Amino acid sequence: MKVKYIGPDLVSIVKNKAYEVISIEKGWYRIMTEIDETYLLPPKVFEVLETEKEHHN
């Protein structure tokens, strides 16, 4: 799933940038940040750009 970060400014995540969701854990999205670490963040700080079902190969 692809999401766009729309939350507050953070050092490790760029506002309005698209990120791939690695997994969803207890409703939160795990993403790879700009500092090559994975973080769990609440879905309310993201806008969904593409769900898995929308992938076209």
Side-chain angles (χ1 to χ4, degrees):
M1 179 166 73
K2 202 167 275 189
V3 295
K4 178 170 77 173
Y5 182 68
I6 56 171
D9 287 334
L10 297 172
V11 172
S12 58
I13 302 170
V14 178
K15 193 165 190 161
N16 296 318
K17 181 175 177 180
Y19 290 91
E20 190 69 35
V21 175
I22 298 167
S23 64
I24 298 174
E25 301 171 32
K26 296 183 180 177
W28 284 37
Y29 299 159
R30 182 169 295 281
I31 62 160
M32 180 65 70
T33 67
E34 301 301 310
I35 56 173
D36 292 330
E37 293 181 355
T38 64
Y39 276 68
L40 272 177
L41 294 158
K44 68 181 181 183
V45 297
F46 292 98
E47 174 185 316
V48 175
L49 299 176
E50 182 180 276
T51 64
E52 296 302 320
K53 293 176 185 150
E54 293 171 345
H55 277 282
H56 300 287
N57 292 336

